[in-house]
Amino acid sequence: MTPDDLLVFLAARGGREYRVRALLHAGRGKKATVRELGEYRLTMRGEDVLACGPSGQPRQLSPQEFHAVFGTYTFGVPEATGVMTDLGPLFAAPEQHSGAEAT
């Protein structure tokens, strides 16, 4: 999965945390290698991504910063961690709200 694909995936699921493996491809042909760089936990918050890497330190990244950091990587299949930020409902599309507002 490319960084662009991952951003689209996360945007559609704002507020939910996903675990992905970052991979770095190097070389070509028979000398090609894939190096695993570690596991990242990613959550889309508005237009930014909250990324927590192997060091355990979270960083909030704009889409441009995300590309600057992860632009040369590919990613494994995202796996839901079951963690939902308390801000998730704020980013849901209007048609996803139940309409049963407290008055």
Side-chain angles (χ1 to χ4, degrees), residues 50-90:
L50 181 63
C52 186
S55 70
Q57 182 176 356
R59 288 182 59 194
Q60 189 155 332
L61 305 169
S62 69
Q64 296 80 13
E65 292 168 326
F66 185 85
H67 280 290
V69 173
F70 297 108
T72 58
Y73 301 168
T74 60
F75 296 93
V77 177
E79 299 174 19
T81 64
V83 174
M84 178 81 166
T85 68
D86 57 344
L87 300 176
L90 295 175

Side-chain angles (χ1 to χ4, degrees), residues 7-88:
L7 285 176
V8 169
F9 177 87
L10 293 171
R13 294 157 181 85
R16 294 185 199 131
E17 182 182 77
Y18 286 85
R19 173 180 41 242
V20 295
R21 297 245 174 230
L23 309 169
L24 182 62
H25 295 266
R28 294 184 182 267
K30 291 182 181 181
K31 294 187 179 194
T33 61
V34 178
R35 194 171 106 209
E36 189 172 304
L37 301 174
E39 180 179 279
Y40 289 81
R41 293 179 181 263
L42 305 171
T43 306
M44 192 70 126
R45 299 182 81 178
E47 292 186 13
D48 293 340
V49 177
L50 181 63
C52 186
S55 70
Q57 182 176 356
R59 288 182 59 194
Q60 189 155 332
L61 305 169
S62 69
Q64 296 80 13
E65 292 168 326
F66 185 85
H67 280 290
V69 173
F70 297 108
T72 58
Y73 301 168
T74 60
F75 296 93
V77 177
E79 299 174 19
T81 64
V83 174
M84 178 81 166
T85 68
D86 57 344
L87 300 176

